[in-house]
Amino acid sequence: MNHILDIKTSGKPLNQAQKALIMIHGRGGSAQDILSLSRHLNVDDYALLAPQATNGTWYPYSFIVPTEQNEPWLSSAIENIQETVKTVLDAGIKAENIYFFGFSQGACLTLEFLARNAQRYGGAAVIIGGLIGDKINRGNYKGDFAQTPIFIGTSDPDFHVPVERVYATANILREMNAEVTEKVYANFGHSINQEEIELANSIVFVN
């Protein structure tokens, strides 16, 4: 499947920044939408990059259907993140200074990418997401996060993301040596709240 990498940027120019934040939008969202959230985060001196999904969606079905139903789009989406990371690395920014923010479908995709490519990153904040597949395929996930801080916020219940998957995801990331903080909000709904932004800033985007 041909995929076209379309990265929107904001913040500091990549060649002048010490840190980069990769932001992954949700289904029906856009790179511009998720970039606009950055003004609430402590990322004033970061380069900001947000890949844009074709037609606003990374893969067609729920993240908890059998993975093959979401192919080839899922593999293409993961490749998009991989290439966005490579763009940052090629600019001379080290992996430990690369940060991630994902919401909803973008949170699932961010977590899936990170777990398949674990190493020391700057950190990640993901709101309403979990590892992808009808069952979690632990064999897909390897590496050592070396204490990378990861914040996961979610609502219980959430129409798209069962809270059990959030807990299972957090446990796998911990097994892989990530410093995971998860926070579950009762009946909050499918959106981002102020406390999640504050926690992301105090746990992940700590300058």
Side-chain angles (χ1 to χ4, degrees):
M1 178 177 174
N2 288 331
H3 72 274
I4 296 154
L5 189 59
D6 176 14
I7 304 176
K8 309 290 185 220
T9 59
S10 184
K12 267 201 149 175
L14 204 46
N15 60 2
Q16 294 171 27
Q18 305 292 310
K19 294 179 176 182
L21 171 58
I22 295 171
M23 305 187 79
I24 311 296
H25 69 77
R27 189 190 297 270
S30 72
Q32 294 308 130
D33 288 344
I34 196 110
L35 282 171
S36 70
L37 256 179
S38 66
R39 64 177 181 271
H40 303 291
L41 303 171
N42 293 337
V43 294
D44 293 349
D45 55 346
Y46 292 49
L48 308 174
L49 299 89
Q52 172 64 49
T54 308
N55 300 324
T57 189
W58 294 108
Y59 45 84
Y61 302 112
S62 162
F63 84 112
I64 44 180
V65 302
T67 308
E68 55 274 15
Q69 290 182 28
N70 275 317
E71 293 296 1
W73 303 278
L74 176 59
S75 291
S76 175
I78 289 170
E79 212 176 304
N80 264 341
I81 302 189
Q82 190 94 52
E83 289 177 25
T84 306
V85 169
K86 186 176 183 302
T87 300
V88 175
L89 293 170
D90 288 350
I93 295 175
K94 296 185 175 71
E96 68 244 34
N97 290 320
I98 300 178
Y99 295 75
F100 298 85
F101 186 97
F103 173 66
S104 189
Q105 192 185 54
C108 298
L109 190 58
T110 300
L111 289 163
E112 187 69 17
F113 169 80
L114 290 172
R116 292 185 186 200
N117 299 278
Q119 57 174 309
R120 174 69 207 203
Y121 296 104
V126 291
I127 312 296
I128 311 184
L131 291 169
I132 294 173
D134 55 331
K135 298 179 185 66
I136 290 177
N137 181 354
R138 187 67 178 80
N140 283 341
Y141 309 131
K142 47 198 170 294
D144 183 333
F145 281 112
Q147 260 102 52
T148 297
I150 299 178
F151 170 67
I152 307 176
T154 197
S155 173
D156 181 27
D158 181 81
F159 182 69
H160 300 286
V161 180
V163 75
E164 296 77 18
R165 179 57 62 96
V166 175
Y167 289 132
T169 298
N171 288 338
I172 287 174
L173 298 176
R174 285 191 185 101
E175 282 169 22
M176 299 173 74
N177 200 16
E179 289 285 329
V180 183
T181 305
E182 77 263 38
K183 184 87 196 207
V184 178
Y185 298 88
N187 301 305
F188 184 73
H190 198 77
S191 59
I192 300 172
N193 67 46
Q194 183 58 36
E195 187 177 288
E196 286 169 326
I197 293 289
E198 287 163 12
L199 286 167
N201 282 331
S202 64
I203 292 165
V204 178
F205 305 111
V206 184
N207 291 322

